[in-house]
Amino acid sequence: MNDLAQDLTDLRKRIQHDRDDDASLHALGAVLAQRGEYGRSFIFYRAAAFCRPQNVKYLCSCAAAALSLGLADDAKWYVDKALATDPNYGEAWQIRGELYLDTFAQPDEALRSYIKAIELVPDDLKNYQSAARCLWSGKAHPAADARVTVAIPSALDSLKVERGMAMALAEEGFYEEAIAMLHNILGRRPDDPTSIRRLAELYTGLRDWSAAQFWFEKGIAVGKDPMVVIGYLLHWSRLGDFERARRVYRSHMQGENFESILGPASCRWQGQDIRGKTLRLNAGDIYFGDALQFGRFARVAKQAGARVTLQAPKRLRSLARTMEGVDSVVAPHDPASETAFHASAFWLMYMLDIPIAEMIGKAPYLQAPSDLCTEWGKRIPSTSGINVGIVWRGSPYLIRDRFGKRSMALEDLRILASIPHCTLYSLQCGEGRAELRNANPPFPAIDLAPDLPNTAAAIEALDLVVTIDTSIAHLAGALGKRTFLMLPYNACFRWMMNRDDTPWYPAIRLFRQTRPGVWSDVVNAIVRALS
């Protein structure tokens, strides 16, 4: 049993013994939040706060959980109560700033909160970044630097202020301005590891590969930031040079600094004899796309003679069981039978000596449930034209960054409906469904919104999937369904560069933005391909 599963079991026993054990109630909420079960974590946070209504830490946990669930009024109530209890609690001011900036759209009030948070917790760079974003309000302006400098108390560390401004500029998609500010910092602090890593990442977003390589190597030479090493490894993977990426892994990703990422070396599978042993292979804890893409490596471990327990998000378990080489599937933090080895599926690409092409194998390597395929074959009847599934919105990650933002507006896809004999089906889930329901004029797509096993079966019944970079792209690719994948200008490393195909999924065709943040060229190219 892993540590989190053991914690969960122990905490439940304590609470059953004493339902007013506020420390255990709060700890259980934290464990559930780590599992991604935010709704349930909020329940236990509230129970802890009910037992100890003056505990500011508990109140802040409730506020943060409510904010993550979109419960703005609840978040405000808890954060106001926390600040009434202790007006000098930095985390409460930080949560209040986030609430007023991103939910209530009151940047001036948010700025007041972030300035207070900076005064109380001067080492947290995120507060400087958020304070700068309050002043820019989504627009780069020559006077913005001066406004931030005036607003933030001069007694604070000017390096942190500038770093925060640079990070805010990057988050808003103003890469060139952020780069100039980072160069200014490095002119005074040439070995500042945070600024070096951000420069390497921003030059990657601008597709300046030589500059990105220079700053990644500079960061490795400074040697204070493990994320620089990972960024450099992904840099070579993005360029398709997996052997160079493997050399980076083997020469730099060693020692205690990386055990939190790779797991303890003592029981990590790195290609040693595993015949007759059990391997717990972590395909992904949170993101469905990662688990769908890298779960295929169970086949590699099975061929080496292991009994493979695949760890994947709970909602993927039934589909993951159909992957070649998988003997059993567990959700993150679930107990499993005793294992001799563990490994992260993603890092096997770099740990093992097997050629990458051989490891990747061929799609399809996933199967939709046969009974559901029969059902969806009836619900999506064949026509003389083409049935197309569409997805336009993913997680809110990088929502402001015009270089890296993966989601698009539903309206950007309306032109697909003008293609003769093309019937659109929405595979969208989450917030994007409201966009479909509220479209005016109505958007001509049939809303399916099934769970993942039903989505897989629906995809099998379609002729084509058109999607942004989200888990549905990986699901369709794993099923071997013909897919048109729309990528932002600064696409994820896994899609590499300067190609419209991908070795991961032979049935996927890539359509890339030619201008940052502009989807019209991508959609028009898809219309031409379909027409």
Side-chain angles (χ1 to χ4, degrees):
M1 182 180 292
N2 60 53
D3 291 342
L4 276 179
Q6 184 65 55
D7 289 345
L8 199 62
T9 302
D10 291 344
L11 289 168
R12 284 172 172 158
K13 287 179 180 177
R14 289 183 205 168
I15 293 168
Q16 286 172 356
H17 177 71
D18 181 2
R19 295 187 180 276
D20 294 326
D21 182 351
D22 59 281
S24 294
L25 287 166
H26 184 266
L28 181 55
V31 171
L32 290 168
Q34 285 181 273
R35 289 167 60 102
E37 299 181 36
Y38 302 113
R40 295 180 65 205
S41 74
F42 187 30
I43 292 171
F44 287 97
Y45 283 149
R46 284 186 298 176
F50 181 81
C51 293
R52 293 278 301 278
Q54 299 304 309
N55 188 305
V56 182
K57 180 179 179 180
Y58 295 174
L59 294 170
C60 283
S61 294
C62 290
L67 195 56
S68 68
L69 292 168
L71 304 173
D73 291 340
D74 288 320
K76 184 178 185 304
W77 190 89
Y78 280 109
V79 80
D80 286 349
K81 184 172 175 60
L83 289 170
T85 304
D86 183 357
N88 292 318
Y89 200 76
E91 183 184 353
W93 286 107
Q94 185 179 52
I95 295 169
R96 187 178 187 274
E98 184 179 351
L99 177 67
Y100 277 89
L101 179 59
D102 292 324
T103 302
F104 294 155
Q106 297 181 31
D108 290 340
E109 188 61 29
L111 177 62
R112 187 173 76 84
S113 298
Y114 283 122
I115 295 299
K116 186 67 175 177
I118 288 170
E119 292 172 347
L120 294 167
V121 192
D123 290 333
D124 190 339
L125 275 178
K126 186 69 177 176
N127 289 326
Y128 296 88
Q129 177 180 351
S130 299
R133 199 158 59 81
C134 292
L135 292 162
W136 284 318
S137 300
K139 297 179 181 179
H141 189 275
D145 296 359
R147 291 186 65 202
V148 174
T149 304
V150 169
I152 296 178
S154 58
L156 298 176
D157 187 338
S158 61
L159 173 64
K160 291 189 176 71
V161 174
E162 286 187 71
R163 270 194 197 148
M165 288 191 285
M167 290 163 66
L169 280 167
E171 186 180 23
E172 296 292 342
F174 302 115
Y175 282 19
E176 294 86 351
E177 295 90 338
I179 284 172
M181 189 165 289
L182 290 169
H183 276 295
N184 284 335
I185 294 172
L186 289 167
R188 303 192 308 278
R189 303 276 187 91
D191 289 339
D192 178 43
T194 301
S195 298
I196 290 170
R197 174 165 59 87
R198 292 300 291 147
L199 266 182
E201 292 167 351
L202 291 172
Y203 278 120
T204 295
L206 292 173
R207 302 180 182 175
D208 187 338
W209 311 123
S210 59
Q213 180 180 342
F214 173 85
W215 288 105
F216 277 127
E217 291 176 351
K218 170 79 170 175
I220 289 173
V222 169
K224 296 179 181 179
D225 188 349
M227 297 307 296
V228 169
V229 177
I230 294 174
Y232 193 37
L233 177 147
L234 298 182
H235 167 79
W236 290 113
S237 301
R238 185 190 300 268
L239 298 180
D241 193 341
F242 285 98
E243 290 308 312
R244 185 79 173 261
R246 283 178 168 178
R247 291 200 294 274
V248 172
Y249 172 86
R250 289 162 186 167
S251 59
H252 296 291
M253 287 193 66
Q254 309 298 328
E256 294 181 2
N257 285 346
F258 293 96
E259 288 205 351
S260 61
I261 299 168
L262 303 174
S266 59
C267 55
R268 188 190 315 152
W269 185 51
Q270 301 181 78
Q272 63 268 50
D273 188 357
I274 201 173
R275 285 173 292 181
K277 305 291 179 63
T278 299
L279 170 72
R280 182 162 177 149
L281 184 63
N282 182 359
D285 287 345
I286 299 174
Y287 301 110
F288 294 166
D290 287 350
L292 288 165
Q293 181 175 7
F294 302 121
R296 73 180 78 198
F297 293 154
R299 176 180 59 86
V300 176
K302 191 67 175 178
Q303 289 173 347
R307 186 184 187 282
V308 181
T309 297
L310 188 73
Q311 179 177 312
K314 187 179 296 185
R315 289 168 57 193
L316 278 179
R317 282 186 296 192
S318 62
L319 290 174
R321 290 189 186 101
T322 71
M323 291 184 181
E324 182 184 351
V326 173
D327 293 298
S328 61
V329 180
V330 295
H333 319 308
D334 279 352
S337 56
E338 198 66 31
T339 58
F341 292 97
H342 71 86
S344 168
F346 173 75
W347 294 112
L348 289 185
M349 283 194 293
Y350 308 102
M351 290 180 186
L352 305 181
D353 290 323
I354 303 169
I356 289 291
E358 184 179 327
M359 288 187 67
I360 289 175
K362 299 295 182 184
Y365 57 87
L366 194 73
Q367 296 177 14
S370 57
D371 56 332
L372 295 180
C373 287
T374 301
E375 178 184 339
W376 282 96
K378 297 174 182 176
R379 294 179 64 177
I380 303 177
S382 297
T383 69
S384 58
I386 183 171
N387 292 323
V388 178
I390 57 172
V391 179
W392 60 92
R393 190 170 297 280
S395 70
Y397 182 59
L398 297 173
I399 56 175
R400 288 174 289 273
D401 183 350
R402 73 182 190 277
F403 284 82
K405 183 179 178 182
R406 300 178 187 182
S407 296
M408 64 197 309
L410 173 62
E411 278 301 310
D412 290 332
L413 293 178
R414 189 176 287 273
I415 191 173
L416 296 182
S418 66
I419 298 172
H421 312 298
C422 179
T423 303
L424 300 181
Y425 291 86
S426 169
L427 298 171
Q428 183 68 51
C429 62
E431 295 178 4
R433 291 191 65 208
E435 200 175 348
L436 179 62
R437 289 194 302 268
N438 300 329
N440 186 19
F443 191 91
I446 300 167
D447 186 10
L448 300 180
D451 60 17
L452 282 167
N454 278 283
T455 297
I459 287 172
E460 291 283 31
L462 295 166
D463 300 304
L464 174 73
V465 173
V466 176
T467 178
I468 52 105
D469 182 5
T470 189
S471 58
I472 299 302
H474 295 281
L475 179 57
L479 291 166
K481 177 60 60 177
R482 188 183 181 205
T483 301
F484 288 174
L485 175 56
M486 302 176 287
L487 296 176
Y489 191 84
N490 183 17
C492 178
F493 78 94
R494 72 190 79 207
W495 306 119
M496 293 182 260
M497 287 303 304
N498 302 322
R499 57 190 298 168
D500 61 6
D501 67 332
T502 168
W504 293 102
Y505 305 110
I508 287 184
R509 179 176 173 185
L510 308 178
F511 293 79
R512 301 175 183 271
Q513 280 186 351
T514 56
R515 294 173 289 167
V518 178
W519 287 109
S520 56
D521 295 349
V522 173
V523 178
N524 288 334
I526 286 175
V527 170
R528 290 192 296 272
L530 287 174
S531 299

